[in-house]
Amino acid sequence: MDQPKPDALAASDPPDSRWCAADRIAELRDLSILDSEPEAPYDDLIRIAAHVCRAPVALVSFVDAERQWFKAELGLGIRETPLDCSVCAHAIEAGDALVIPDLTADPRTAANPLVTGPEQFRFYAGVAIRGAGGVPLGALCVLDRVPRPEGLDTAQTATLAALARQVSTLLEQRRTLARVAAREAELAASERRFRVMTAAMPQMVWTTLPDGFHDYYNDRWYEFTGVPYGSTDGVGWNGVFHPEDQERAWARWRRSLATGEPYEIEYRLRHHSGAYRWTLGRAMPIRDADGRIERWFGTCTDIDDLKRAEAEARQLAAIVETSKDFIGLCTEDGRITHLNEAALALVGLPDLAAARARTIPDFFTPESRIALAETVMPAVRGSGWWEGELAFRHFATGAAIPVLYNIFPVRDAAGTVAGYATVTRDLREAKRAEEARDLLIRELSHRIKNIFAVVGGLAALTARGDPAAKPFADAFRQRLGALARAHEYVRPHSPDSAPAVAGQTVLGLMRLIMAAYEEGGRARVAIAGDDAPIGERTATALALIMHEQATNAMKYGGLSREDGGVSLTGHREDGRYTLVWAESGGPPVAAPPSRKGFGTVLAERSVAGQLDGVLERDWAPAGLVMRLAVPVENLRF
């Protein structure tokens, strides 16, 4: 068939003005094709082109901004040329195809270095290679060093066009593979981020497929449960639940899978130690753009310590509410935040709302309110607590209620005082019991005094009837009087009945008590040494101890024989006061007693409990030696 003249083919296809150079360059950059390594599929295509067109040179050429670059070349020996050497640049401007039978006769190529230079190409035929949207990127072309007035036949032209389309297909495949690789890289990176994130989380993390098949657990899960990796995939997870919780957990999970509702449940999970610990399980569905569930993301949080703390808090709350003591909380400025039922009942308030309308001072009598402001709160702020006797007032009757009141600060997590708390005891019953006890003590003391008086009267009556007995009766009455005075110290006392000890000292008290054991004007107990002031509580305790010691000495020890005696010596040194009781002249001591009498036990408890002292006994053959050591500062109480 007849072939068109050299310029006729180009003229028949008007230039494609829809695309500009910027479009071409952007598409080449997106494909990342420039300067890539040779690839066999492209090489195969140009071999076919060269064979079908019987041409020595075939190229897959892409036109860049300032060069043309060959993805595949046959017979040329170079990978790129400057743009002024490009005939393919004219091909992409011409349209789909360009055939130039004699390059020296075409004004577009006559001065081309590939035509005028050593290669002296004369023939060119090329078909545009198009990218996405039809953007022309370059050409698949063949060249010959001799002119071809006849150009290409129909089969050759069709083959060249088909091969160019294959290049376009390869380019799209490259783009697709690149996007797939990028997506896979993104997914891999996302997976790595997910695993790093879940590894850093303190909770146990798990995921499932849409049907609930568990396919991932983080390291926290395996550390907690101690099971082998992968052993709880699928439905194996239920085996580490407490048997009593398994069916309940399954039912809740099946419901979430069926409805897509978030999953939340508390159950006991077997710890690697073998113990079951309470755990909070949660899961949320992850949905795609159409709302379909792609995966489930879940966590397990160990709440066993929290559950125990909550149980303890409930127990504590129950104790507070059932306690018979007044228990309350207030803010730092004294506004009531909570009172238990016993507190409301004690002061006659109907409910907690009424209590919250009050402040701390409202609960006290006027006198105790002054003490609260001037003594109690300054002590709490200074030392952290206060305890003592005050008086509440009954809001309905106005009656005073004696209480043992204590108050201490409540601090927040940062250690800052957030308010105050009290556990206060109603003293009315104790006061009544104390009054009854004091009345009984007074009655008992009165009766003992009467006995002393009756015995003394009998002795005096005997002396009047028998003058010879008068010296004995007088001495007996003096000893009886001394015992009566000593009795005042050793009997129990209330604050109102306690004997006066103002100005009293340890040795002075000892002389008063031991006066009962004088005989014939001679002191059987020799008292000497260092002295120290003494308080009411200490006086009672020491009197009880020494009276018991003297009584035992009269029965079994140094005072049981006429020529026997006791030395009682005080020593004050290094903040301690020591009384030494040393017996002599009594029966020989073979061994310590096999048991302690009630009086001895009571004396030892008084030393330890009331005086914070130490009582030691040395059962020496010559006589008992007792040492009683007490801190000097404790003597003043």
Side-chain angles (χ1 to χ4, degrees):
M1 70 182 241
D2 296 334
Q3 293 292 328
K5 295 182 179 180
D7 296 336
L9 184 58
S12 66
D13 296 318
D16 195 342
S17 59
R18 292 174 297 169
W19 316 107
C20 64
D23 296 327
R24 182 179 72 255
I25 293 169
E27 178 73 358
L28 290 171
R29 298 292 184 271
D30 184 63
L31 289 167
S32 300
I33 189 67
L34 298 176
D35 299 313
S36 60
E37 293 296 321
E39 296 178 56
Y42 295 92
D43 294 340
D44 290 342
L45 293 177
I46 62 172
R47 289 192 186 94
I48 294 172
H51 175 74
V52 170
C53 297
R54 298 188 301 278
V57 176
L59 304 170
V60 173
S61 171
F62 295 111
V63 180
D64 197 3
E66 296 181 356
R67 63 171 178 160
Q68 70 173 351
W69 179 82
F70 308 128
K71 173 63 179 174
E73 63 84 18
L74 177 66
L76 187 60
I78 56 176
R79 294 299 302 275
E80 66 178 54
T81 67
L83 197 57
D84 61 359
C85 294
S86 175
V87 181
C88 293
H90 301 298
I92 64 177
E93 292 175 358
D96 288 335
L98 174 65
V99 178
I100 303 176
D102 187 350
L103 292 171
T104 61
D106 193 305
R108 295 171 295 181
T109 58
N112 190 304
L114 291 179
V115 177
T116 61
E119 294 292 344
Q120 295 185 353
F121 287 113
R122 294 290 181 267
F123 174 75
Y124 173 90
V127 178
I129 299 171
R130 298 187 177 275
V135 178
L137 306 176
L140 188 150
C141 66
V142 293
L143 294 104
D144 200 347
R145 294 181 175 82
V146 295
R148 292 189 182 185
E150 72 285 0
L152 298 179
D153 62 27
T154 302
Q156 291 171 329
T157 302
T159 301
L160 206 61
L163 295 175
R165 289 194 297 271
Q166 287 300 309
V167 173
S168 295
T169 300
L170 289 174
L171 291 177
E172 282 306 310
Q173 184 184 40
R174 177 186 184 87
R175 191 199 312 271
T176 300
L177 291 175
R179 288 175 177 173
V180 169
R183 179 60 178 162
E184 289 178 346
E186 181 182 344
L187 290 174
S190 177
E191 178 72 11
R192 287 194 299 273
R193 288 192 297 269
F194 172 77
R195 291 182 178 274
V196 170
M197 179 187 70
T198 57
M201 290 177 66
Q203 289 96 349
M204 294 167 268
V205 177
W206 47 272
T207 63
T208 79
L209 300 177
D211 62 359
F213 184 92
H214 286 67
D215 62 351
Y216 171 76
Y217 297 90
N218 70 344
D219 290 342
R220 298 292 87 74
W221 167 268
Y222 294 107
E223 291 170 3
F224 182 94
T225 60
V227 299
Y229 277 76
S231 62
T232 49
D233 287 354
V235 297
W237 55 272
N238 205 39
V240 295
F241 284 23
H242 193 284
E244 296 175 3
D245 300 335
Q246 290 182 7
E247 183 53 39
R248 182 169 57 89
W250 256 119
R252 184 67 187 84
W253 179 229
R254 283 194 291 264
R255 176 182 170 185
S256 291
L257 291 176
T259 64
E261 296 175 357
Y263 171 78
E264 182 168 331
I265 187 173
E266 292 182 3
Y267 47 75
R268 287 162 290 181
L269 191 62
R270 189 175 65 239
H271 189 254
H272 63 76
S273 64
Y276 284 93
R277 294 180 64 85
W278 279 103
T279 305
L280 173 62
R282 285 175 170 164
M284 292 288 292
I286 301 173
R287 300 178 184 270
D288 62 17
D290 296 324
R292 291 186 296 269
I293 295 176
E294 292 182 326
R295 297 189 69 77
W296 286 84
F297 179 88
T299 61
C300 298
T301 304
D302 184 353
I303 59 171
D304 198 73
D305 292 339
L306 178 61
K307 295 279 282 189
R308 293 178 189 275
E310 289 176 347
E312 291 173 359
R314 287 193 296 270
Q315 292 173 354
L316 180 59
I319 291 171
V320 168
E321 291 308 313
T322 57
S323 173
K324 300 303 181 184
D325 289 333
F326 179 112
I327 300 177
L329 292 170
C330 71
T331 60
E332 192 175 7
D333 58 1
R335 290 181 290 108
I336 303 301
T337 56
H338 184 76
L339 290 181
N340 67 345
E341 290 296 329
L344 295 171
L346 180 64
V347 296
L349 287 172
D351 51 37
L352 186 57
R356 285 175 173 166
R358 314 283 180 170
T359 61
I360 289 181
D362 296 335
F363 286 76
F364 294 92
T365 61
E367 296 80 6
S368 291
R369 198 175 299 164
I370 294 171
L372 180 73
E374 297 181 353
T375 303
V376 177
M377 295 312 296
V380 173
R381 295 185 185 100
S383 60
W385 70 281
W386 185 89
E387 182 176 272
E389 188 173 332
L390 293 176
F392 281 161
R393 70 180 181 91
H394 195 279
F395 283 96
T397 66
I401 306 169
V403 294
L404 179 62
Y405 183 72
N406 69 47
I407 184 170
F408 50 90
V410 176
R411 302 181 183 276
D412 59 20
T416 303
V417 174
Y420 298 97
T422 182
V423 180
T424 292
R425 180 150 297 175
D426 181 1
L427 292 181
R428 288 177 297 182
E429 194 65 36
K431 288 282 187 182
R432 287 191 285 268
E434 186 178 308
E435 290 172 359
R437 172 177 169 273
D438 190 47
L439 181 62
L440 178 62
I441 290 172
R442 287 174 181 269
E443 179 64 21
L444 179 61
S445 180
H446 176 71
R447 292 180 180 274
I448 292 175
K449 286 180 179 179
N450 285 345
I451 291 173
F452 279 125
V454 169
V455 173
L458 290 174
L461 183 62
T462 301
R464 283 199 297 272
D466 184 0
K470 188 176 185 304
F472 170 79
D474 290 342
F476 180 72
R477 290 180 66 190
Q478 289 178 0
R479 181 168 295 175
L480 201 61
L483 283 174
R485 290 190 296 275
H487 165 73
E488 281 300 299
Y489 283 91
V490 299
R491 75 175 177 87
H493 290 290
S494 69
D496 295 333
S497 67
V501 295
Q504 184 65 277
T505 64
V506 175
L507 297 187
L509 176 65
M510 294 300 101
R511 292 186 181 96
L512 178 65
I513 295 173
M514 299 305 164
Y517 303 97
E518 291 183 358
E519 189 171 346
R522 180 174 67 88
R524 300 289 302 279
V525 180
I527 300 172
D530 302 328
D531 207 351
I534 194 172
E536 173 190 321
R537 187 186 69 177
T538 305
T540 301
L542 284 180
L544 176 64
I545 295 167
M546 291 307 179
H547 181 70
E548 176 67 19
Q549 198 63 39
T551 300
N552 288 336
M554 286 292 294
K555 293 178 181 179
Y556 318 110
L559 300 181
S560 64
R561 290 184 177 179
E562 184 177 351
D563 58 345
V566 176
S567 66
L568 183 57
T569 309
H571 299 282
R572 183 170 181 168
E573 185 177 4
D574 296 333
R576 296 185 73 80
Y577 186 86
T578 305
L579 271 175
V580 180
W581 170 283
E583 300 181 13
S584 62
V589 178
S594 58
R595 69 180 185 86
K596 295 179 181 180
F598 174 75
T600 299
V601 173
L602 186 61
E604 290 176 348
R605 290 182 178 177
S606 296
V607 171
Q610 292 183 254
L611 305 180
D612 192 23
V614 177
L615 183 65
E616 297 176 342
R617 290 183 173 89
D618 180 9
W619 298 92
L624 169 66
V625 177
M626 182 196 74
R627 295 176 179 83
L628 170 60
V630 179
V632 172
E633 62 178 15
N634 289 358
L635 295 174
R636 60 187 177 87
F637 296 107

